[in-house]
Amino acid sequence: MKRIIILCLVFISVLLADVLPFDAFRAFSYLEKQVDFGPRIPGSPGQIICRDWLVEQSLIYADTVVIQQYKAYRPDNKTTVDAFNIIARFSPENSKRVMLSTHWDTRPISDKDFVYYNTPVPGANDGASGTAVLLELMKHIANIAPTIGVDVIFWDAEDMGIAGNGKYFCQGSEYYAENPILPLANKGILIDMIGDRDLEIFIEANSMRYAPELVKEVWAIAKELGYGQIFRKQVGAEIYDDHVPLNIKAGIPTIDLIDFHYYYKGKNIWHTPRDLPAHCSPQSLKSIGDVLYIWLLRQ
Ligand SMILES: [Zn+2]
C-alpha cells in the first residue's frame, strides 16, 4: 500500500510539472538566440544587440522597465566601459515585493582553457541560461498578475573579474546595492549557470548563511514538483555571486541557484569556448522555471 501511495505521489508530481505553463523549448530558443548574438561582453557590439532585445522583451510584459547605466571596469583589457542593468518591474508601487535575477553578460576570456585563453566565452550556460529562464517566466508573471510586486533583474558585468579575486565580479549587483530602485524587494532568488544538461543544484553556502528559510521554501517546492534529483539536499561550495552584494549591501535575503559543476565527459566546460547550447537542455531550464513559478504563486 505504502508503495502504491509513493508511486501515486511521484505520478502526481510528474503531471504537475507537465501542466505548468513554463515552455521549455521556447526558453531554450532564447538561450540559443543569445549565443547567436555573439559574446555579450560589456563594451562589445553583442552587448548592445542583446541589451536592446532584453529591453524590448521586458517592455512587452512588465509595468515599467528601468535601465541602470553605469561604468564597469574590464581587467582583461584595462578599459572602462558602459554597462546596463535591466530592471523589469511588475506592480512597481507595491512595497511587498520579491526579486528574481540573473546575469546576462558573458566572460571576455576563456581563462580555464590554456589553448584558447583569449577566446571569449559563448556563455550558453554562463549568461544565457538564467536570462532565458527569466524571459520565459516574465510572460507567465504578466498572466498571473501577482498581488505582490516583482522585480526581474538582468545584471550586467558579473563576469569581468580575475579568477581567485572577487574585486571585479558582480559589478552590476554592486552598483544596484549602492543605487537601489525603491521600494526594495523583501527577498529574492538569483539564478546562474542552470542550463547544464546534467543539472544538479547543491545548497550554495552563502545562501544558507544569509537566507536559510528561503532555501527551505525553494527546496520543498522542488521536491513537490518531482525535482528532488536536481535539487540536492547537501550544502555545496561557497560562491561569490550577485547574491552576495544583495545580501550584504542591499540587505535583501537572497539565495543563489547555481550548478557550479559544468563538465562533459570528464572535461571542464565552465569559462571555456565549449560553453555552448549542446551542453545545455530545455528540461534543465524548465525545472528552474517551474520552481520559480510556483514559488511566486505562493508569495
Ligand atoms: Zn562565469
Side-chain angles (χ1 to χ4, degrees):
M1 185 61 186
K2 196 176 165 195
R3 218 168 138 185
I4 292 170
I5 292 170
I6 290 170
L7 276 174
C8 286
L9 285 175
V10 168
F11 188 60
I12 289 165
S13 300
V14 170
L15 281 181
L16 187 54
D18 270 353
V19 297
L20 290 177
F22 189 97
D23 187 322
F25 292 96
R26 191 166 51 205
F28 199 77
S29 75
Y30 296 149
L31 179 151
E32 292 174 315
K33 191 177 177 90
Q34 290 170 78
V35 176
D36 289 345
F37 287 149
R40 284 81 69 209
I41 308 164
S44 75
Q47 178 204 32
I48 301 304
I49 296 168
C50 192
R51 176 200 66 187
D52 292 349
W53 178 64
L54 289 174
V55 171
E56 180 195 295
Q57 291 294 309
S58 301
L59 282 169
I60 298 172
Y61 302 106
D63 297 317
T64 57
V65 179
V66 179
I67 304 168
Q68 253 189 347
Q69 183 171 350
Y70 51 94
K71 294 289 177 190
Y73 182 69
R74 278 181 55 179
D76 66 298
N77 64 5
K78 300 186 173 57
T79 58
T80 299
V81 294
D82 287 321
F84 308 90
N85 291 334
I86 297 151
I87 304 167
R89 311 195 84 208
F90 297 79
S91 304
E93 311 296 328
N94 198 334
S95 62
K96 185 174 186 237
R97 56 195 308 111
V98 297
M99 178 194 289
L100 299 174
S101 69
T102 189
H103 78 92
W104 67 278
D105 63 303
T106 55
R107 190 160 179 78
I109 48 166
S110 289
D111 49 332
K112 294 289 173 192
D113 190 316
F114 299 112
V115 178
Y116 296 101
Y117 188 97
N118 288 313
T119 304
V121 174
N125 191 19
D126 197 356
S129 69
T131 304
V133 166
L134 294 191
L135 280 173
E136 168 64 16
L137 203 58
M138 274 203 293
K139 297 175 195 283
H140 308 298
I141 297 173
N143 283 339
I144 56 177
T147 50
I148 50 158
V150 182
D151 291 327
V152 174
I153 308 189
F154 303 94
W155 309 115
D156 201 352
E158 185 265 358
D159 221 345
M160 302 299 102
I162 300 158
N165 175 351
K167 192 168 177 195
Y168 298 112
F169 287 100
C170 305
Q171 294 183 58
S173 50
E174 286 272 355
Y175 182 86
Y176 180 87
E178 283 158 16
N179 305 275
I181 311 281
L182 301 175
L184 208 57
N186 316 119
K187 53 182 165 175
I189 301 176
L190 170 72
I191 59 175
D192 189 6
M193 295 175 69
I194 43 70
D196 187 354
R197 293 186 85 98
D198 309 309
L199 191 63
E200 268 189 324
I201 311 279
F202 287 87
I203 301 167
E204 187 277 328
N206 282 317
S207 308
M208 195 62 190
R209 177 176 311 142
Y210 295 114
E213 287 306 314
L214 199 42
V215 168
K216 261 190 229 165
E217 261 175 53
V218 169
W219 259 251
I221 291 169
K223 193 179 171 195
E224 254 180 72
L225 295 181
Y227 294 132
Q229 287 302 314
I230 294 173
F231 285 73
R232 312 303 291 262
K233 274 196 152 173
Q234 291 141 266
V235 177
E238 179 180 302
I239 296 164
Y240 185 82
D241 206 343
D242 287 310
H243 66 317
V244 175
L246 295 175
N247 276 298
I248 294 177
K249 288 194 182 169
I252 306 169
T254 305
I255 64 169
D256 187 13
L257 304 182
I258 183 167
D259 179 358
F260 210 53
H261 187 267
Y262 187 30
Y263 276 72
Y264 180 67
K265 291 188 174 172
K267 211 172 166 191
N268 171 54
I269 303 171
W270 175 60
H271 288 181
T272 75
R274 297 181 296 283
D275 182 1
L276 294 166
H279 298 300
C280 299
S281 84
Q283 197 50 45
S284 296
L285 302 184
K286 180 165 171 64
S287 63
I288 300 298
D290 285 347
V291 169
L292 295 182
Y293 180 76
I294 295 293
W295 181 75
L296 272 181
L297 285 181
R298 293 187 184 170
Q299 298 305 307

